[in-house]
Amino acid sequence: MAISPILRIALPVALHRYFDYLLPVALSDHAALALRQGVRVLVPFRSRQIVGFLVEVSETTAVPLEKLKNAITLLDTAPLLPDKLLTLLHWVSRYYHAPLGEVLATAFPALLRRADVKDKISRKRKSNGLSESGASSTVDLLLESTELPSIPHLNREQQDAVDAIIQGWNQFKVYLLQGVTGSGKTEVYLRLIDYALQLKQQVLFLVPEISLTPQTVSRLTTRFNVPLAIFHSGLTEQQRLADWHRARTEKAAIVVGTRSAVFIPLQTPGLIIIDEEHDSAFKQEGGIAYHARDLAIMRAKIANHPILLGSATPAFETLWNADCNRYQRFFLSKRAGNAVLPRIQLLDVRAQKLTAGLSSGLLTKIQQHLTARGQVLLFLNRRGFAPLYLCHACGWIAPCKHCDSPLRLHQNPSSLRCHHCGDCQKLMEICEGCQQAQLFDLGHGTQKLEKILTAYFPGIACFRLDTDSTRKKQRLTTLLKQVQAGEPCIVIGTQILAKGHHFPAVTLVAIIDADAGLFGSGFRSLEHSGQLIIQVAGRAGRAILPGEVVVQTHHPHHPLLNQLVQAGYESFSQLALQERQRAGWPPFSHLALLRAASRHPNQAMDFLHQIKQQLSNLAISTAINPLIGSYSRPVANPPPLKLLGPIPALMEKRAGYYRAQLLFQAHKREILHQNLQIARKKLETIKAKSVRWALEVDPLELI
DNA sequence: AGCACGCCGACT
DNA sequence: GTCGGCGTGCTC
């Protein structure tokens, strides 16, 4: 029925529908009609007040009049997000099957999403006369940049990449810069950023980890005398808000950030750079499970400008896209300066005596490198002291109460911790199974390695880099600085060592256990361990000193491992991609995962069985009626949609929840999405008593 | 999703 | 007698 204007609002709640409101009492009809989509509106919602987003102003509503409430107030007169960003967010909502209100909310800093906080910054600014950059996180860094070093010469490969990308400027295209570790990818980025700055265009530069922002920012500020914005979750909300505004109002020319920065509004975007594009940290876990790289590509497409993906070890999806000429690829095959790429040797540890997992051959090498005043870097992907705490008398293993996982033994303080739910308990002396005092630790983690090596190499400093040692703010920076001082030392670390930090004095890199990754169960585990080995190896021999890389394995004849160390990542990936293709996994199919979790055993599985039952009919109808046309004959081979499972999660019980999953697999994206849409509507009607569910598009792993 | 409402067990 | 457990149902 026709009444005065209705505000159709997207709310940040897990509901796939909009809510209609009457105008705020103080607002005239005329003013309402001038409103544009994306404007924030404060509305009453059940018993609370929340910030929603205007989708449209309508003349009609299907909601009974008595149910309509007045909006409380309009928070913006004009949308804070540019139209093209709104277009992107609509796409995100459709692609990830997430409610638009939730998607929009993630694109705003928390201070602009809260009902109780008005823009504190602007009030403070007015009161004490601070400039807009006053609260920003970048001001100190700008003051630090005093020296302007000479610009390095580009080699042929670098120059070709720069030339070609500049040639294709001002239009959408995806470029892949595949350069070996230390090949000067950053210098290519800097030349392109320089070009964008000359054209007064803004650059969005994404890195996978917060810890990588300082080195990126320092490279940028020593080179360019322009204001930067920094955006990641390690900053305070005030800083995030200030830098968000600085990007939005074009006061910042370059934005450096982690995955959440992909949503930052830009006035004049000209280029996006995704550094270390293979890194799974670009994938958001929990909430809206988006992939910042994929989103950035869509963002560049909508804004019609180039995007550059850089990595020594590109993701298989990315390689495949380059192989299919969807992306243009450039190789950087030589290291910058005189540095040479270290040779990787496999060290057969079968039947060898191992000390904390180290063979005597490796121990000798460590000693040699330390004597030659080199640094040694040891990669062990197992944190804590020991992975098991068990009873010698009866075999009892200390379990986590909330997960199907053993507790890990930690030291300083001695404790048992769960690596999946974070639970921590005191060490027991007596076995809970047989009451005897014969408990001992089995296996070794980074803490034990540190302890043993400190004793083995007296007088040599040992630094441990893992999530436990770097949890405190600034701790990682301090540790990195100590290592970068260059004195002979041993660095022991987990994944952090694969993250692009610089260790110029490292001459020996050793991967303690390559086998764990090679035989992982996930379809991506081979890809990830290949990337890990190459990235960790790449830490060696960056400066003048030549490097050596040792990989310990019980499978020295593993074909793909040999391909990797002898022929390199590129030919390893070609081989591994063929295996992917045979198995039909991404990028040769598209996946979505329906996860369910319940506090009660079996309920998640029962729920998914029920869903599958209902969807199977639908899957068949898809086969005979693909939505592209209305053919009535069945599509034989391959089936357009497969529903696999449900199966219990690999670790069925985690943090007190029993988990299961149902996998959707399709060879065409449209088919997957059409079915997910129908599935989602079904899910909302089914009574899911005490079962939580979530739909994840493009899962990285099937957990 | 939140958050209220509602109906049954152990506490000041 | 109440505090609180989470089952159910609704949000313009």
Side-chain angles (χ1 to χ4, degrees), chain A residues 138-410:
Chain A
T138 60
V139 68
D140 296 344
L141 290 154
L142 279 174
L143 294 175
E144 265 174 28
S145 70
T146 45
E147 64 199 284
L148 276 164
S150 62
I151 295 168
H153 185 72
L154 294 186
N155 66 29
R156 184 80 250 147
E157 291 174 327
Q158 289 173 311
Q159 190 66 55
D160 286 348
V162 170
D163 290 346
I165 296 168
I166 285 177
Q167 191 72 37
W169 208 263
N170 285 333
Q171 53 188 312
F172 170 66
K173 181 145 192 177
V174 185
Y175 298 95
L176 169 61
L177 187 61
Q178 188 172 349
V180 298
T181 49
S183 61
K185 286 187 289 291
T186 310
E187 191 51 40
V188 173
Y189 302 156
L190 293 175
R191 296 297 175 102
L192 296 170
I193 292 170
D194 187 39
Y195 188 77
L197 296 177
Q198 285 173 36
L199 297 176
K200 301 263 181 287
Q201 294 177 341
Q202 291 172 289
V203 178
L204 178 59
F205 193 130
L206 298 190
V207 294
E209 297 242 326
I210 294 172
S211 64
L212 292 168
T213 50
Q215 70 182 47
T216 307
V217 167
S218 105
R219 284 292 285 273
L220 290 167
T221 49
T222 48
R223 188 70 159 265
F224 304 114
N225 189 24
V226 296
L228 293 190
I230 301 175
F231 197 82
H232 56 68
S233 59
L235 303 170
T236 66
E237 282 304 331
Q238 303 283 351
Q239 288 172 326
R240 281 160 67 89
L241 180 64
D243 280 29
W244 191 83
H245 276 307
R246 279 156 37 78
R248 189 180 71 80
T249 57
E250 219 188 329
K251 291 193 174 75
I254 308 171
V255 178
V256 178
T258 50
R259 59 173 181 269
S260 59
V262 77
F263 294 114
I264 212 162
L266 297 171
Q267 209 60 239
T268 54
L271 175 68
I272 300 178
I273 294 168
I274 312 287
D275 194 23
E276 308 294 359
E277 67 85 32
H278 65 279
D279 200 307
S280 54
F282 284 118
K283 178 72 193 292
Q284 166 76 36
E285 303 287 349
I288 302 163
Y290 64 89
H291 200 299
R293 182 235 292 134
D294 300 347
L295 234 135
I297 291 171
M298 185 48 72
R299 182 172 180 162
K301 187 174 182 175
I302 292 168
N304 197 32
H305 60 65
I307 174 168
L308 177 57
L309 313 179
S311 176
T313 54
F316 282 10
E317 274 94 339
T318 302
L319 290 173
W320 180 243
N321 279 320
D323 289 344
C324 298
N325 289 320
R326 282 188 282 266
Y327 302 169
Q328 186 174 346
R329 165 154 51 177
F330 303 102
F331 287 102
L332 304 181
S333 58
K334 296 176 198 68
R335 280 199 156 183
N338 293 321
V340 272
L341 212 57
R343 211 175 63 81
I344 304 176
Q345 324 160 36
L346 294 183
L347 212 155
D348 183 0
V349 295
R350 283 176 298 178
Q352 299 260 328
K353 177 182 179 288
L354 298 176
T355 311
L358 308 181
S359 62
S360 56
L362 178 54
L363 282 166
T364 310
K365 274 190 194 297
I366 294 174
Q367 183 64 67
Q368 283 167 359
H369 279 261
L370 292 172
T371 309
R373 300 198 57 75
Q375 292 183 340
V376 174
L377 196 143
L378 304 177
F379 174 79
L380 178 64
N381 211 2
R382 209 177 298 124
R383 64 190 176 89
F385 190 79
L388 288 180
Y389 191 53
L390 66 83
C391 175
H392 189 54
C394 75
W396 178 84
I397 295 170
C400 175
K401 290 186 183 69
H402 318 286
C403 308
D404 291 333
S405 169
L407 290 166
R408 316 293 173 183
L409 180 61
H410 280 245

Side-chain angles (χ1 to χ4, degrees), chain A residues 380 382-387 443-450 492:
Chain A
L380 178 64
R382 209 177 298 124
R383 64 190 176 89
F385 190 79
H444 38 266
T446 47
Q447 287 183 348
K448 193 190 275 187
L449 200 55
E450 180 188 22
I492 299 160

